[in-house]
């Protein structure tokens, strides 16, 4: 810690803490590793200025660097009376692996490794800290957030290793304006304490492509002293409705959730409910023991997180000691196919998000059998299901470019030709139909329909031209032209 004096009144507090990891050979390659010794340096830097412009304005700058993450925070606070909300202008940029949903469970799910998706998050806005009254305190903030997924080598990505989108917009980034409100209640004495936190976030649709959602989360905890032991129990829950990117899902597993599992190793969902119970007791002056029991559920909302079902564990993974979860990957597939059948028969309607998940499932190569013959049969059946869906569902309910990319990757040439046709891209449609060597009849059918439309169009065109010429002739010679022509022929015959 060093203090630098500027002028007579202002001073700057600087705190630097750097640590170099010597056991680099035992660690994984850090994010954006360049081979430089600085890539293995972790530490923090804090700079505080208590009187920036001479009016008691405070400036706080902090930099935290880890092996796989980093965080930069700049906060500027203006002095206000104590009975008013304290304002803080905040700019924050962070980079961290997204392992809650895209992480890879390892070591019997005891930890989660990087799945190759890292989040670069830039946020700036205003924080309002309301003055505390009795045991309640609250914080309100409104911030603009720009979130960009990155690969391990620092490149912008829009899809994960399985080919599923990692953003809600489907592009390389998400933008949102979020209004947050957090209220906290705390009460404590010598024998017990209780704490309650309520958090509400609302995405504001400033622009049409920005995320619109409502996210709610609560944390309730109670501590009680039982002789020399201490019992701590807590309940955490939350839910999100509206637009949602995969990284916004509630991850179940990790130190703050189900201990003994890696972050997100148990699952993730649009909703969650987690209960933690812990009993600690002294064993020695410097040794303490603990017994804990944790449980959690996604309340059946895991299937509604975009692109999560391909990452469920396979039958070849070591899952000894674990109870098989429901619904399994096979169960989810049966449900998707059942819903797709009813929608194609026009006996049911689905939302855009559910339709997107159904199309992702039907076109994913990970859901096809391994044998060649079964793979071909399943692929043909799935292609017919996708085609039947798109012929019934209105075009405004699905993104043609996105579905076309899925079908191109799955080699669904009939569906690709159909999409190109409704987009009036006839040469591209013919090219896709010609690639379907197993059913060439579709290419000839497309050519016949196209030429039939062209011949009908030419016939109608020639007919309209003849009618127009006849109308011009009548308008030029008058309605008595036929009678005059017949009289002339009679006179000539009489002569």
């Amino acid at each position: 810690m060093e203090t630098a004096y500027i002028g007579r009144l202002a001073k700057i507090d600087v705190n630097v803490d750097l640590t170099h990891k010597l056991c680099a050979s035992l660690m994984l390659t850090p994010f954006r590793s360049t081979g430089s010794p600085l890539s293995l340096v972790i530490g923090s830097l804090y700079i505080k200025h208590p009187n920036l412009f001479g009016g008691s304005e405070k400036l706080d700058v902090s930099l935290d660097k880890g092996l796989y993450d980093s965080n930069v925070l700049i906060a500027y606070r203006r002095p206000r009376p104590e009975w008013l909300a304290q304002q803080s202008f905040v700019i924050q940029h962070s980079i961290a692996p997204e392992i809650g949903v895209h992480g890879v469970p390892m070591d019997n799910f005891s930890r989660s490794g990087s799945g190759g998706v890292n989040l670069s998050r830039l946020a700036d806005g205003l924080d309002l800290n309301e003055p505390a009254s009795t045991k309640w305190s609250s914080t309100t903030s409104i911030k603009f957030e720009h979130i960009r997924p990155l690969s391990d080598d620092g490149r912008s990505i829009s899809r994960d290793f399985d080919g599923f989108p990692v953003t809600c917009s489907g592009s390389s980034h998400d933008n949102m304006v979020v209004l947050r409100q957090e209220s906290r209640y705390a009460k404590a004495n010598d024998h017990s304490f209780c704490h309650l936190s309520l958090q509400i976030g609302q995405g504001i649709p400033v622009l049409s492509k920005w995320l619109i959602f409502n996210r709610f989360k609560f944390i309730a905890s109670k501590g009680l002293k039982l002789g020399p032991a201490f019992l701590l129990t807590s309940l955490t829950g939350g839910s999100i409705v509206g637009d949602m990117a995969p990284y916004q899902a509630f991850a179940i597993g990790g130190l703050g959730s189900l201990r003994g599992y890696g972050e997100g190793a148990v699952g993730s969902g649009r909703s969650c409910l987690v209960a933690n119970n812990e009993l600690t007791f002294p064993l020695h002056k410097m040794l303490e023991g603990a017994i804990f029991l944790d449980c959690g559920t996604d309340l059946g909302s895991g299937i509604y997180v975009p692109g999560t079902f391909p990452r469920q564990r396979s039958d070849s993974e070591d899952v000894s000691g674990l109870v098989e979860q429901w619904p399994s990957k096979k169960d989810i597939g049966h449900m998707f196919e059942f819903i797709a059948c009813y929608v194609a028969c026009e006996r049911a309607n689905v939302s855009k998000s559910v339709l997107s998940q159904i199309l992702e499932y039907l076109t994913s190569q990970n859901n096809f059998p391994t044998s060649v013959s079964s793979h071909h049969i399943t692929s043909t059946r799935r292609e017919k299901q996708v085609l039947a869906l798109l012929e019934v569902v209105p075009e405004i309910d699905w993104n043609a470019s996105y579905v076309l990319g899925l079908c191109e990757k799955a080699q669904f040439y009939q569906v690709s030709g159909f999409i190109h046709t409704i987009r009036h891209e006839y040469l591209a449609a013919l090219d896709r139909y010609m690639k379907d060597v197993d059913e060439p009849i579709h290419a000839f059918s497309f050519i016949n329909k196209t030429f039939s439309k062209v011949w009908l169009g030419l016939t109608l065109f020639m007919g309209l031209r003849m009618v127009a010429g006849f109308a011009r002739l009548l308008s030029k010679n008058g309605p008595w032209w036929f009678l005059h022509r017949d009289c002339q022929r009679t006179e000539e015959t009489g002569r």
Side-chain angles (χ1 to χ4, degrees):
M1 169 75 73
E2 293 186 2
T3 301
Y5 290 90
I6 302 177
R8 296 181 179 180
L9 298 177
K11 68 177 181 178
I12 301 178
D13 296 333
V14 181
N15 184 16
V16 181
D17 181 13
L18 295 177
T19 304
H20 191 279
K21 291 294 183 180
L22 299 179
C23 302
S25 60
L26 301 179
M27 299 183 180
L28 298 174
T29 304
F31 174 64
R32 288 189 177 183
S33 175
T34 59
S36 171
L38 294 178
S39 62
L40 299 178
V41 173
I42 64 174
S44 57
L45 171 65
Y46 299 94
I47 300 176
K48 296 184 178 181
H49 198 302
N51 193 16
L52 185 61
F53 299 114
S56 299
E57 300 90 350
K58 296 181 180 180
L59 177 67
D60 294 340
V61 179
S62 65
L63 168 63
D64 296 294
K65 181 186 179 300
L67 287 177
Y68 309 101
D69 56 357
S70 63
N71 182 65
V72 179
L73 176 64
I74 302 175
Y76 169 73
R77 293 189 294 272
R78 296 187 302 177
R80 302 191 72 188
E82 295 182 357
W83 61 85
L84 296 179
Q86 302 300 311
Q87 297 179 352
S88 299
F89 298 92
V90 179
I91 300 177
Q92 184 177 12
H93 179 263
S94 63
I95 298 178
E98 202 295 291
I99 60 178
V101 175
H102 296 93
V104 180
M106 306 173 67
D107 299 338
N108 282 339
F109 292 79
S110 63
R111 64 186 181 93
S112 297
S114 174
V117 179
N118 305 271
L119 294 183
S120 172
R121 186 187 301 264
L122 174 64
D124 61 272
L126 176 66
D127 288 341
L128 295 175
N129 295 310
E130 299 292 338
S133 59
T134 62
K135 298 177 179 63
W136 285 92
S137 62
S138 63
T139 300
T140 305
S141 66
I142 181 168
K143 293 180 180 179
F144 165 77
E145 296 186 6
H146 175 82
I147 300 175
R148 186 164 55 99
L150 304 173
S151 62
D152 287 337
D153 57 2
R155 294 182 295 104
S156 295
I157 57 176
S158 59
R159 299 180 180 273
D160 57 15
F161 288 152
D162 296 313
F164 289 89
V166 293
T167 60
C168 180
S169 62
S171 63
S172 60
H173 63 272
D174 281 334
N175 291 326
M176 63 189 84
V177 172
V178 184
L179 176 64
R180 291 188 177 91
Q181 171 73 37
E182 180 178 3
S183 299
R184 297 172 296 274
Y185 173 84
K187 179 181 179 181
N189 53 41
D190 295 337
H191 302 283
S192 65
F193 81 89
C194 60
H195 178 268
L196 176 64
S197 176
L198 303 175
Q199 305 172 12
I200 299 177
Q202 176 67 56
I204 302 176
V206 178
L207 296 180
S208 59
K209 295 183 178 180
W210 290 13
L211 273 62
I212 309 172
F213 61 91
N214 182 274
R215 193 176 195 269
F216 171 75
K217 183 179 179 181
F218 72 89
I219 303 173
S221 58
K222 174 73 174 181
L224 182 63
K225 190 174 182 181
L226 302 175
F230 189 80
L231 176 63
L232 175 63
T233 180
S234 65
L235 183 65
T236 303
S239 181
I240 180 173
V241 295
D243 298 335
M244 187 191 74
Y247 54 80
Q248 291 179 302
F250 294 93
I252 303 177
L255 293 178
S257 181
L258 267 64
R259 288 163 288 186
Y261 295 92
E263 184 177 352
V266 178
S268 60
R270 279 183 171 263
S271 303
C272 78
L273 192 63
V274 178
N276 305 103
N277 301 276
E278 178 181 289
L279 178 65
T280 58
F281 47 88
L283 297 177
H284 193 263
K285 293 182 179 180
M286 301 182 64
L287 184 63
E288 192 176 65
I291 301 175
F292 65 87
L293 174 64
D294 300 334
C295 57
T297 175
D298 62 5
L299 301 176
S301 63
I303 60 175
Y304 302 112
V305 178
T308 56
F309 54 84
R311 279 177 286 278
Q312 294 187 10
R313 60 178 181 270
S314 62
D315 296 335
S316 61
E317 291 179 322
D318 182 12
V319 292
S320 57
L322 296 177
V323 179
E324 184 178 0
Q325 294 182 350
W326 189 92
S328 64
K329 179 181 178 181
K330 187 176 181 180
D331 297 329
I332 295 174
H334 290 327
M335 287 189 291
F336 281 153
E337 293 184 14
F338 177 79
I339 297 173
C341 179
Y342 263 67
V343 174
C345 295
E346 299 186 22
R347 298 180 63 182
N349 296 320
V350 293
S351 63
K352 295 181 181 180
S353 60
V354 175
L355 176 64
S356 177
Q357 294 181 66
I358 293 175
L359 294 175
E360 288 176 359
Y361 170 79
L362 294 177
T363 57
S364 175
Q365 295 287 340
N366 297 330
N367 302 311
F368 293 162
T370 55
S371 62
V372 177
S373 58
S374 299
H375 183 282
H376 176 72
I377 296 174
T378 303
S379 177
T380 303
R381 178 170 55 84
R382 297 271 178 84
E383 184 175 13
K384 301 297 183 183
Q385 288 179 305
V386 174
L387 186 61
L389 272 176
L390 299 185
E391 289 176 345
V392 172
V393 178
E395 296 180 32
I396 59 175
D397 289 346
W398 50 280
N399 188 317
S401 300
Y402 174 62
V403 177
L404 181 61
L406 294 177
C407 295
E408 293 282 0
K409 187 176 180 180
Q411 297 182 354
F412 287 178
Y413 298 120
Q414 295 180 34
V415 185
S416 301
F418 171 77
I419 297 176
H420 282 299
T421 301
I422 63 178
R423 298 171 68 176
H424 306 292
E425 299 169 353
Y426 300 109
L427 291 179
L430 179 60
D431 177 71
R432 299 308 184 273
Y433 285 122
M434 293 292 291
K435 289 183 178 179
D436 192 2
V437 295
D438 294 328
E439 298 187 39
I441 186 63
H442 295 288
F444 291 102
S445 176
F446 173 75
I447 295 173
N448 180 60
K449 291 180 180 179
T450 304
F451 275 101
S452 298
K453 292 180 181 179
V454 172
W455 179 254
L456 179 61
L458 290 176
T459 304
L460 292 175
F461 176 74
M462 295 300 297
L464 291 175
R465 289 292 301 273
M466 294 177 64
V467 172
F470 185 68
R472 286 197 301 269
L473 184 62
L474 288 178
S475 63
K476 181 178 180 181
N477 297 281
W480 302 102
W481 177 71
F482 285 102
L483 181 61
H484 177 69
R485 184 187 61 176
D486 292 340
C487 292
Q488 287 182 343
R489 288 182 179 179
T490 303
E491 292 178 358
E492 293 176 356
T493 303
R495 291 175 184 177

